[in-house]
Amino acid sequence: MNQTLSVIVLAAGKGTRMKSALPKVLQPLAGRALLAHSLASVAALKPAQTVVVVGHGAEQVKAAFKDHELTWALQMPQNGTGHAAAVGLAPVADGGVTLLVTGDTPLIRTETLAALTALVTEKTFALLTCNVADPTGYGRIVRNAAGEVVKIVEHKDALAANDTAVLALNEMNTGIMAAPTAWLRGALTRLEPHNAQGELYLTDVIAMAAFDGLCVATAQPESEMEIVGVNDKVQLAALERDVQRAEAHRLMNAGVTLADPARIDVRGKLTTGTDVFIDVGCVFIGDVSLGDNVSIGPNCVLKDAVIGANTAIHPMSHLEGCTVGEGALIGPFARLRPGAVLADEVHIGNFVEVKNSTLAKGAKANHLAYLGDATVGERVNYGAGSITANYDGANKHRTVIEADVHVGSNCVLVAPVTIGAGGTVAGGSTITKSTPPATLTVARGKQVTITKWLRAKKV
């Protein structure tokens, strides 16, 4: 833990332009809230304390991060970024360095933040800036003839004053800064609302730092993507594509073959072995691991899944909370639900659903079937249209199908029940009692033919 570093994350904004009841910092990017990305970068710095300033939707934001070790500070009403920083600084002890970041710049890298805070001394204030082609809407960095930062002018204020010289500048303020904590606390008490918005601007502390004789040091991010803010759904969608493009490049550089790098979505962590192939339209959510030579067909969704080597997942399959062994065949149109554990060489075919069940090596359920709360032995062949009736309306019960069993088509196995090893269940049977090994069990009505029956005719 860095005992000298405290972090304040500004996350109180409503995000009016999002046109959403969901607070801006909870809007999703690559499967995680915007704020989650910022907090992950901050956490890697191991600060002594992280304070998150909340306002609009405060309870929603706090609930979303209830498992994080955070200090919460409520800014109500919102009176500008300077006021937000003061609210966030209140629970922070004097001494050391305070880093201020925004909750809506999700791609900021830990390395960039570390480099920025390293610039701070008792007499040095550190500011993250970025030279951009189009700085419209951003505060501009104003330097003197010696190249020293003297102040930041907000875009709206420059427009109001028709300050063309400032508007022509392309070095913009990212909103991320670091300062000696004790000095920052005093500076925030001196802020005044002399601007077009009538708010307390955090950026005004830059001029104070220069006036107080502090050196204003600057650092820049590795790329402009790091400091891109998100204010509306258009910007959010554009940033999502940037993130997915970068993830696609990472995968390809690791040896993955993507049928189309523009048509993959990774909303979590995807790890891959060698010679993995991923077709178009696939979505990966949470933690997904693909072993060597895994092939994923078009339009598959995998969430929190582990897929063994040499397994093929055919198109339109949905896998969640499951583990699949090596050399398995899944789909097309298969669904593996949480708790599905498949051993090597298992086949799960089209329109087959597996939930909270284990299938041993070589077991097959190739067509139109359901296996819920079941334990399936090696080399079992589970027929088309067959189901385990695992729910009695109040409780779930388990079905055990031992090794080498053959279950015919359109059977109902009413749990709790065990089908003995090597046994056969005749097609169309409803099994309510356990069956002995190596036998044929038939449980269906006797077929009857009526020879003198007359079909009804229309009158």
Side-chain angles (χ1 to χ4, degrees), residues 130-204:
C130 189
N131 292 308
V132 297
D134 181 10
T136 301
Y138 293 105
R140 307 302 207 281
I141 306 299
V142 178
R143 297 177 181 266
N144 60 20
E148 299 166 329
V149 176
V150 293
K151 62 179 178 179
I152 297 175
V153 178
E154 295 298 327
H155 183 84
K156 290 181 180 178
D157 295 321
L159 281 176
N162 195 29
D163 193 335
T164 55
V166 168
L167 291 171
L169 299 172
N170 68 352
E171 185 181 11
M172 48 81 70
N173 171 40
T174 67
I176 298 172
M177 58 188 71
T181 301
W183 176 86
L184 180 62
R185 194 183 309 278
L188 292 173
T189 64
R190 291 183 274 157
L191 291 176
E192 296 182 357
H194 299 317
N195 52 68
Q197 299 298 105
E199 297 179 343
L200 300 179
Y201 282 170
L202 177 59
T203 49
D204 287 348

Side-chain angles (χ1 to χ4, degrees), residues 236-321:
L236 183 63
L239 193 57
E240 180 75 34
R241 285 301 96 210
D242 288 338
V243 171
Q244 297 301 339
R245 188 179 303 111
E247 181 65 15
H249 289 171
R250 181 191 73 81
L251 290 169
M252 290 186 291
N253 286 334
V256 176
T257 299
L258 300 179
D260 184 348
R263 288 187 283 173
I264 180 175
D265 282 85
V266 179
R267 302 171 187 171
K269 180 182 179 183
L270 175 59
T271 57
T272 57
T274 59
D275 295 309
V276 168
F277 172 78
I278 300 173
D279 215 322
V280 299
C282 292
V283 180
F284 300 90
I285 304 169
D287 290 332
V288 177
S289 174
L290 307 179
D292 295 345
N293 300 302
V294 165
S295 174
I296 311 290
N299 301 310
C300 291
V301 178
L302 279 71
K303 179 179 181 181
D304 297 323
V306 176
I307 311 300
N310 303 304
T311 287
I313 300 176
H314 296 302
M316 310 294 179
S317 295
H318 190 151
L319 288 69
E320 177 181 358

